[in-house]
Amino acid sequence: MFVVVGVTGGIAAYKTVSLVRLLVKAGHDVHVVPTDDALRFVGLPTWESLSRNPVTTSVHDDVASVRHVGLGQAADLVIVAPATANTLAAMAAGLASDLLGTTLLATTAPVVVAPAMHTEMWRHPATTHNMGVLRDRGVHVVGPADGVLTGGDSGPGRMSEPEEIVAAALALVERPRDLQGLSIVVSAGGTREPIDPVRYLGNRSSGRQGVAIARAAADRGADVTLVAAHLDADVRPDARVEVIAAGTAEELGRTMDAVSPGADVVIMAAAVADYSLASIAEGKLRKQDFPGALTLELVENRDIVAGLVERRRPGQTVVAFAAETVTGDEELRERARAKAIRKGVDLLAANAVGWTQGFEAVDNALTIVDGDGEVVATASGSKDDTAHALLDAVVAARLSGIG
Ligand code: CTP
């Protein structure tokens, strides 16, 4: 495979030396495109000898072969590691000021970036915005990892390990297009049930897992609709996914009912409130009207997924989620089994949650059971990894004719 490795000016460039070695050892044709700044950390001869290909930073070398776009056009995969805050900003803006910039603009191959910078820079709103722009454009992001940074401070900002970056990047290109032609509806996030014009009852779901499932399904060729209930600000759906916002359980239910009939697969990853307010106050509730205590009357919401199962058409696969507070794996499996049978779904993905588990985390662990409650898969890792594991289970279920 023709792999372009962009290297930008950060100390983590020394780790990219092993990344290039890993790719070359695996038999890939590796072309390193450093920025001028990157060469202050690791010199050109190192990149040339490791990649066994000529290396330049300039758009003015080898003009006859139109090198400034040629590399991007030829690439099957582009990895930028380390990706500095400056490079990410340039990518978001589409700047073409050096060979890496032109290569990135000329490519239609998957692009993977491995950010590396100090925590403050990573958390700066400008970087957050740029990452959002890049993610929307379908750029895949690996890391950054949490750990000790140069200068001794620590936090998120360390470039991920070369093995991890290479595995994530190759998995993208080698991903099966096994959902090509299928239409998939995914719900994500958490509903909010209004109490009065300024308050609501909500839950801690960020929408990260559902959005990862939507992205993974798009990567595998599906037509994806995401019904999104209050995603966290940093959780951005992929540009290839059609997004419909739904705020309350009632809105989410109506939207799912409207979009699901035509779908081949429906995945209910949203955390839906089981209850909403019996009556929503017209004006803001005032403390002086409820001295000492306030009692809210809640009424049960309808079970959306149960309705979808009831109206499921032949060949449609319905998947539910269950976030459970449990004391161990066995209890999680038992809860998953009981809930899958009770709901009548084809698959159910259960994960353990708690005060410090499951929600804001980037990683997740899923136990996936079929409609009889038998465990068909377990998966742990990034929410992208677990998303693909769930889609593997969906594909397997459809092949075996369950769904
Ligand atoms: N769900 C739904 N409609 C609801 C509540 C939940 O469709 N009103 C879906 C969720 O999206 C999820 C699955 O049902 O896919 C399981 O949600 P959960 O809240 O765990 O299920 P409950 O039936 O409410 O069970 P529990 O008694 O554990 O709350």
Side-chain angles (χ1 to χ4, degrees):
M1 196 180 340
F2 193 110
V3 185
V4 170
V5 177
V7 189
T8 73
I11 182 62
Y14 83 89
K15 290 211 252 176
T16 308
V17 170
S18 18
L19 184 145
V20 170
R21 285 193 58 208
L22 284 171
L23 288 168
V24 172
K25 256 173 89 178
H28 299 294
D29 183 15
V30 181
H31 297 258
V32 179
V33 184
T35 59
D36 284 328
D37 268 354
L39 295 182
R40 298 165 81 101
F41 293 92
V42 179
L44 198 137
T46 306
W47 301 122
E48 283 201 333
S49 61
L50 282 178
S51 69
R52 300 173 199 158
N53 275 313
V55 172
T56 172
T57 64
S58 164
V59 289
H60 305 298
D61 292 336
D62 196 14
V63 176
S65 68
V66 210
R67 192 173 174 80
H68 72 291
V69 290
L71 284 173
Q73 287 167 339
D76 299 304
L77 172 67
V78 180
I79 302 173
V80 184
T84 58
N86 187 56
T87 297
L88 293 166
M91 285 175 73
L95 297 188
S97 48
D98 56 9
L99 185 60
L100 181 58
T102 56
T103 302
L104 284 163
L105 284 181
T107 197
T108 54
V111 176
V112 178
V113 296
M117 66 197 75
H118 278 273
T119 305
E120 294 80 358
M121 295 170 76
W122 174 247
R123 289 196 174 138
H124 193 281
T127 306
T128 305
H129 173 79
N130 291 332
M131 294 312 296
V133 169
L134 294 174
R135 282 201 175 95
D136 284 353
R137 224 179 263 156
V139 169
H140 296 265
V141 184
V142 182
D146 218 310
V148 178
L149 304 166
T150 41
D153 38 343
S154 70
R158 263 171 81 94
M159 187 173 96
S160 296
E161 293 309 312
E163 293 75 11
E164 191 189 334
I165 301 168
V166 167
L170 293 180
L172 274 183
V173 194
E174 287 154 10
R175 198 84 80 196
R177 303 277 297 175
D178 52 3
L179 299 175
Q180 188 86 45
L182 294 189
S183 144
I184 298 196
V185 174
V186 184
S187 69
T191 66
R192 290 180 185 173
E193 308 307 316
I195 298 170
D196 66 18
V198 295
R199 303 184 178 94
Y200 60 82
L201 287 177
N203 60 68
R204 289 172 58 201
S205 175
S206 64
R208 211 166 255 115
Q209 182 65 79
V211 166
I213 293 167
R215 184 185 321 115
D219 282 345
R220 291 164 78 146
D223 253 333
V224 188
T225 303
L226 181 79
V227 180
H230 303 287
L231 308 180
D232 274 10
D234 64 333
V235 178
R236 303 251 213 137
D238 195 287
R240 294 165 299 175
V241 169
E242 186 194 348
V243 182
I244 305 174
T248 62
E250 164 61 26
E251 281 168 16
L252 193 118
R254 256 190 283 126
T255 312
M256 290 304 292
D257 288 349
V259 295
S260 297
D264 298 293
V265 180
V266 181
I267 302 177
M268 274 294 287
V272 184
D274 286 331
Y275 300 89
S276 54
L277 276 287
S279 68
I280 301 169
E282 269 301 313
K284 186 180 157 193
L285 297 183
R286 296 187 323 158
K287 200 161 56 175
Q288 69 203 56
D289 296 331
F290 304 95
L294 166 66
T295 306
L296 296 174
E297 191 192 344
L298 303 178
V299 289
E300 195 174 330
N301 291 329
R302 73 183 170 97
D303 190 325
I304 301 166
V305 78
L308 297 175
V309 166
E310 229 174 81
R311 293 186 296 279
R312 171 177 43 191
R313 60 178 174 76
Q316 190 180 53
T317 310
V318 180
V319 184
F321 263 74
E324 306 283 348
T325 49
V326 286
T327 47
D329 289 351
E330 197 166 323
E331 194 184 358
L332 184 66
R333 279 197 298 276
E334 190 39 47
R335 294 270 191 96
R337 193 186 69 79
K339 200 166 272 188
I341 294 171
R342 177 157 56 81
K343 300 234 174 207
V345 290
D346 301 300
L347 291 169
L348 181 138
N351 66 317
V353 292
W355 292 108
T356 57
Q357 199 181 5
F359 291 107
E360 285 79 16
V362 173
D363 283 356
N364 201 10
L366 294 181
T367 297
I368 302 166
V369 300
D370 64 16
D372 299 323
E374 296 296 327
V375 176
V376 292
T378 55
S380 61
S382 73
K383 287 184 177 171
D384 286 334
D385 293 339
T386 47
H388 277 289
L390 178 64
L391 293 176
D392 289 344
V394 167
V395 170
R398 291 179 66 81
L399 283 178
S400 70
I402 298 170

